Amino acid sequence: MSYTEAETESVRETRKLKQNGLLTYYNRYKILYLLSLPGIIYFVVFKYIPLAGSMMAFQNYSIFEGIWKSEWVGMANFQRMFEFADFWRILKNTLAIGFYTLVFGFPIPIILALMMNELRNQLYKRFVQTAVYLPHFLSWVVVGGIVIEILSPTSGVVNHVLTWFGQEPIYFMGEDSHIRTIIVSSGIWRDAGWSTIIYLAAMSGINPDLYEAAQMDGATRWRQTISITIPSIMTTITILFLLQIGNFLDLGFERVFVFLNPLTNSNGDILDTYIYRVGLIQREYSYTTAIGLFKSVIGFVLIVTANTFSKRATGEGLY
């Protein structure tokens, strides 16, 4: 056998070993791949394929002509977006509510998880967990009705308490100065408990020997939390923070729409509600697609920037 033939045979053997290794790997983890298949199909169908519709942002889209035959207008829709005076007010509202949600809403699930992790009575711990999880399963319509009833100037609990202290009832849903606080606080109440699941799962993976060693050294429960629990879940905190940064402008249509009325639109109207009003009701599809694409680009820039800073500062990131 010549040197060339021996080399070719060696390459074939190497390739065969690699193929057998891949087959062994896939056979070992095929159940996991099958379990992930529905999620992959979901993202392909509802996230990746619809990206083709972003072309409408550069068209004067007509439902009769379709995407492929509609007139191309370049950046005209983006120019109109930036020239519209109310757009900057709506963007300011979106940024303000997103910022308040990030500052006040992000730490609360961590605090809740740390507090629940310290509970030693298992029955009481399960009760607390169930109580804080339950609001997540309520639709925003139900949450909106509950909040509006609580803040009612005639029958609301809050105004009853205010009258006990000699204060005049406040029409919370009739003053735009309160709308951002209502939106942010109702979102925290609904979703904070559900977000604690991830942190509690991360805490359950902490080695108990670390706590035992700390106890032997005389560390208090507070010191153990600061020195062991929080550093151990810092990777989880970083990843969830980066994900929330990426959704900074994506506040959700239902969350805000249920609280809006003509008296609160000034400070409560956000990009999602504006897209609904202009895109679906007034049927300006190309214009609102341009706004949606603008949101996506800003979110992408934010998450890449935050991830870069996180990698440099802590060594942790999404990628």
Side-chain angles (χ1 to χ4, degrees):
M1 182 182 295
S2 67
Y3 175 77
T4 303
E5 291 176 347
E7 184 178 15
T8 303
E9 186 67 24
S10 176
V11 170
R12 288 175 181 171
E13 289 294 331
T14 303
R15 186 180 301 169
K16 186 176 180 180
L17 288 172
K18 287 182 178 180
Q19 290 175 349
N20 290 335
L22 286 174
L23 287 174
T24 303
Y25 177 83
Y26 287 126
N27 287 332
R28 182 183 301 174
Y29 297 107
K30 62 182 178 181
I31 299 300
L32 293 178
Y33 284 110
L34 288 175
L35 289 173
S36 64
L37 191 60
I40 295 172
I41 294 173
Y42 168 80
F43 277 99
V44 170
V45 173
F46 294 103
K47 301 296 181 179
Y48 288 99
I49 293 178
L51 287 175
S54 299
M55 291 189 297
M56 293 195 310
F58 307 95
Q59 297 176 326
N60 183 16
Y61 176 75
S62 169
I63 59 175
F64 302 105
E65 298 292 336
I67 293 179
W68 305 112
K69 295 183 179 180
S70 294
E71 176 189 2
W72 291 89
V73 295
M75 304 296 290
N77 289 313
F78 294 94
Q79 183 178 355
R80 175 189 171 188
M81 176 178 68
F82 290 119
E83 290 177 350
F84 180 51
D86 279 349
F87 172 77
W88 297 105
R89 175 184 60 81
I90 294 168
L91 180 61
K92 177 185 174 183
N93 292 340
T94 308
L95 291 173
I97 296 174
F99 176 77
Y100 296 146
T101 301
L102 185 66
V103 171
F104 298 106
F106 182 76
I108 288 181
I110 303 173
I111 297 170
L112 277 175
L114 291 172
M115 293 172 66
M116 285 191 285
N117 190 54
E118 295 300 317
L119 295 176
R120 293 295 172 260
N121 188 318
Q122 292 300 316
L123 184 61
Y124 180 66
K125 183 177 182 179
R126 290 171 186 169
F127 170 77
V128 172
Q129 287 177 333
T130 304
V132 297
Y133 295 165
L134 279 179
H136 178 78
F137 298 98
L138 301 177
S139 71
W140 274 110
V141 176
V142 176
V143 172
I146 293 172
V147 172
I148 291 172
E149 185 62 29
I150 290 174
L151 300 178
S152 171
T154 56
S155 60
V157 175
V158 175
N159 277 301
H160 278 306
V161 174
L162 290 176
T163 55
W164 292 344
F165 290 95
Q167 301 292 324
E168 292 292 327
I170 300 173
Y171 187 18
F172 290 98
M173 300 307 300
E175 298 181 17
D176 60 3
S177 59
H178 300 297
I179 187 62
R180 292 177 183 172
T181 304
I182 293 170
I183 292 171
V184 173
S185 57
S186 62
I188 293 173
W189 174 73
R190 181 181 182 269
D191 295 325
W194 183 255
S195 301
T196 60
I197 294 175
I198 300 175
Y199 296 112
L200 287 172
M203 291 176 192
S204 66
I206 301 174
N207 190 344
D209 294 341
L210 295 175
Y211 293 107
E212 293 178 4
Q215 287 176 356
M216 293 178 64
D217 290 338
T220 62
R221 295 299 302 177
W222 173 251
R223 186 63 184 176
Q224 292 174 40
T225 300
I226 297 297
S227 301
I228 299 175
T229 308
I230 294 179
S232 298
I233 64 171
M234 188 54 67
T235 301
T236 304
I237 293 174
T238 301
I239 292 174
L240 292 180
F241 180 76
L242 292 175
L243 291 174
Q244 189 157 341
I245 286 287
N247 293 325
F248 190 76
L249 297 181
D250 192 14
L251 299 174
F253 164 74
E254 302 93 340
R255 173 183 177 179
V256 178
F257 185 75
V258 293
F259 296 111
L260 289 186
N261 59 60
L263 298 175
T264 59
N265 271 340
S266 178
N267 284 343
D269 198 14
I270 63 170
L271 290 175
D272 291 324
T273 54
Y274 178 67
I275 289 171
Y276 162 76
R277 190 168 61 252
V278 177
L280 294 181
I281 297 179
Q282 300 180 16
R283 297 186 296 278
E284 298 190 30
Y285 305 114
S286 294
Y287 175 53
T288 49
T289 301
I291 298 176
L293 188 59
F294 169 77
K295 279 180 52 183
S296 300
V297 171
I298 295 298
F300 176 76
V301 171
L302 286 174
I303 197 169
V304 169
T305 305
N307 188 76
T308 302
F309 280 113
S310 176
K311 291 282 285 186
R312 292 180 179 177
T314 65
E316 301 291 343
L318 291 174
Y319 53 89

